[in-house]
Amino acid sequence: MPLDIVHSVCPHDCPSTCALEVERLDAHTIGRVRGAQDNSYTAGVVCAKTARYAERVHHPDRLAKPLRRTGEKGSGSWREISWEDALNEIADAFLKAAQRHGSETVWPFYYAGTMGLVQRDGINRLRHVMRYSGQHSTYCNALSDAGWLAGTGRKGGPDSREMAESDLIVIWGGNPVHTQVNVMTHVTRARKERGAKLAVIDTYRTATAEQADIFLCVNPGTDAALACGIMQVLFAEGFADRDYLARYTDVPAELEAHLASRTPEWAAAICGVPAEDIRAFARLYGATPRSYIRAGYGFTRSRNGAAQMHAVTCLPAITGAWQHKGGGALYGQSAIYRWDKSLIEGLDRVDPSVRMLDQSQIGRVLTGNAEALRNGPPVTALLIQNTNPATVAPESLLVNKGLRRAGLFTVVHEQFMTETAQLADIVLPATTFLEHDDLYQASAHSYIQIGRKAIEPYAEARENHWVICELAKRLGAEHPGFNMSAWEMLDTTLLASGWPDAETVWQKHWHDAIGDFETMHFRNGFGHPDGKFRFRPDWAAMGTHNAGLPPLPDHCGLIDSATADRPFRLVTAPARNFLNTSFTETPTSTKREGRPTLMIHSGDMADLGLSDGQLVRIGNDRASVALHAKPFDGVNRGTLICESVWPNHAFVEGVGINALVSADPGGPNGGAVFHDTSVWLRDAE
C-alpha cells in the first residue's frame, strides 16, 4: 500500500523555509519527514532536526490542556481549566489592566517560533485594534537589515540558486551546515560542476569552515576591517571595475581615497587575519567575476553590526560582480514578495502615537526601566506567542526577574512548558505547523508556499489564529480578520498582494516569486532614489542610534571591546541540533549536543591552567555563568565560543548564556548584540 505523503513547509526560524514531504500514518500521526525533491532550492534535503520531526510533534511532554497557575510563579503548580474559562479570565485581566493603566499596559509579545504569516503575525492585528503597546522586533535582523539597506536600498539580490553557477562562493558570517543546510547543496554543485572555490569568513572554524577551501578567522566585531583591507587591494591592484563604479555607485573616488590607508596590514592588526591571507583572498575575489557572497546574520549581531554588513556589501560594488550571473551578494529576499498584510496585521488600524517597546529590552521593560518603557505606564499584562524570552532574550536574569514580578499577568501560548511558560499565570496549548493552515515566504529563496493541516491537533491544542480571534470577541475588538478562518485570510492576502489564489498555490505546492535577472542583480539600479549603491550611507535617516557609525566603510569601534578586566570576547553561535530553544526538548537533539560547553583556544587554557572538561566560569558586570571547558584551536586567542541556545536549567547553576549579553541597542535602529560581549574567564572552583 503506497504511503500517504503530504506536502508541507518547515515553519522554523531559518531562511531556508524548506519544502517538505511528510509521511502521514493516520489522522493523528506522522512518520518520516523529507525535503521535497522537485523543489529546486530544497532539492530533497532537510536538516536532521526537521527530518526527525515526529519526535517533536508526538513528544509526551507536549502541552495538552489550558493550565492556570496555583502556586508561586515558577513553582510548577498548575490546575487544568477549560478553554472557555481560560479565555474569559485572560480577557477580563486585559480589560482590567487597561482600565487601570491605559491600553499600552498590555504588551503582545511574539517572534519566530513559527514563520508562517498568519499564525505568527496575527497577534499584531489584536495589538493594533486594541492600541496595545507596539513591539520593535530586534532579536534577529534589525542590524543586518539596516546594513544591507544602507548600501543596496532594497532587501533582495541574485537568486540563491545561482550559487551553483558561481566560481567563488563566500559564506560570510554564517554556518549553513548548522543553520541552512540547503546552501551547501548548491555550493557542492558549483564545486563539482565548475570547480568553484568555497571561502568561509567567521569567528571560529565552524562545520562549514571545515569544508572550505579558504577560511579566514576574524576577531568578533572586526569584519568591516577585513572588508576594508580587501577593498584596498581591489583598488590598488586594478581589480576595481571603473565603468561599473561610475554608473552604479555614489562616491567611488572618495571611497578609494579613504581606503588608501586601510591596507591588509592595517586590517590584520584589528581583525586577526594575517595580511598575506587578506591580500591573497582579495586577489582571488577580484579576479573572479562570478563571485557570490552569501552574507549571514552572525557577524551583524554586534553594536557595529550594521556597519559590518554595509562594508561587506561594498565588495561586489567595487568589482562589478553584481552584474554577473552567479555573482553579487545575497542576504535575504523579502522585498520580492510585496505582501499586503493589512488584513493579517490590522495595518489599517495602526495608531502611530502608541509607544513602541524594544523586544530585546524585555527585561528592562518588565522591571520598570523608564527609558525602556518610553516614559509610559508599566507593562502589567503580557500575551506571549512563538517565543521564549526567559531563555533567548538578552539580560536573561533581568527578564526572569521581570517575569516573576508581582502584579504582572502573563499568558503563554506554547507547545511545551518552556522556561517562559513556567513563569506564566495561564498557559495555553499550541498546535504545531502540521496541525494548522499557514502561508510562508522564504528569505534564502523565492518560493511562496502554503502548509495545510496534515494531522489533527494534539489533545486540546489550538492554533494562534483561533486564540487571537477568540480573545478579540471577548475584548470587543472588531476587524474583518477576526471573522475569517486562517485559510480565508491567507487566500485573501495572496490575492490582495497580486499572487495566485491559495488553492492554486497549494495544488502547485509553491509559487516562484523571483524577479527578472536585471532586477535581482540591480542592473536596473539599486533601491535608492538615484539608483546608486551608497558607499556613503545615510545612517541618520535609518534610526536614532546612529552615533559613531562610519560615514564610509570602516572598522567601527563601538563594540564591547576586551579590557584588562574582561580580556575575552564571547560569541554565542547556533548549535547544530537546536534552533533557538526549539528542539531543546527532543531527546535526540539534546543527546547529540551533550551539555553546555565553552570552546577555548588551547593557548588560553594553558595560560590559565585549565583542562579539558573542567568546570569554568565566565562573567561580566551582568552575571557569571558556569559551564565546561573544551580546548579548541579553531579560534583566535581571546575568543570564546558557546554554541547554544541551551535552556537555563541545562547549565550547572541554572544561569544561561544570555545572562551575559547586553540589551543595549545596536545602531542605527536597534538590534540584539548577542555576539558582542566581553567577559573574564576563570576556574569555577
Side-chain angles (χ1 to χ4, degrees), residues 349-397:
R349 300 293 295 277
V350 172
D351 182 346
S353 70
V354 172
R355 70 177 174 183
M356 189 73 67
L357 302 179
D358 187 336
Q359 173 187 51
S360 295
Q361 295 191 343
I362 182 175
R364 300 182 190 184
V365 167
L366 297 183
T367 53
N369 180 287
E371 182 180 0
L373 287 164
R374 305 297 183 260
N375 297 309
V379 168
T380 63
L382 276 174
L383 171 61
I384 300 176
Q385 290 184 322
N386 313 322
T387 188
N388 182 17
T391 308
V392 304
E395 298 178 354
S396 59
L397 289 182

Side-chain angles (χ1 to χ4, degrees), residues 580-636:
N580 303 322
T581 57
S582 295
F583 300 97
T584 59
E585 67 285 326
T586 57
T588 302
S589 286
T590 53
K591 181 180 179 180
R592 290 183 177 182
E593 290 299 326
R595 64 185 180 185
T597 300
L598 189 69
M599 292 186 275
I600 311 168
H601 193 282
S602 61
D604 291 329
M605 291 189 69
D607 287 350
L608 295 170
L610 303 176
S611 59
D612 187 5
Q614 181 176 349
L615 189 66
V616 298
R617 185 178 301 280
I618 54 175
N620 54 23
D621 294 341
R622 284 176 286 278
S624 70
V625 175
L627 67 174
H628 292 88
K630 177 182 178 180
F632 178 68
D633 287 348
V635 291
N636 293 337

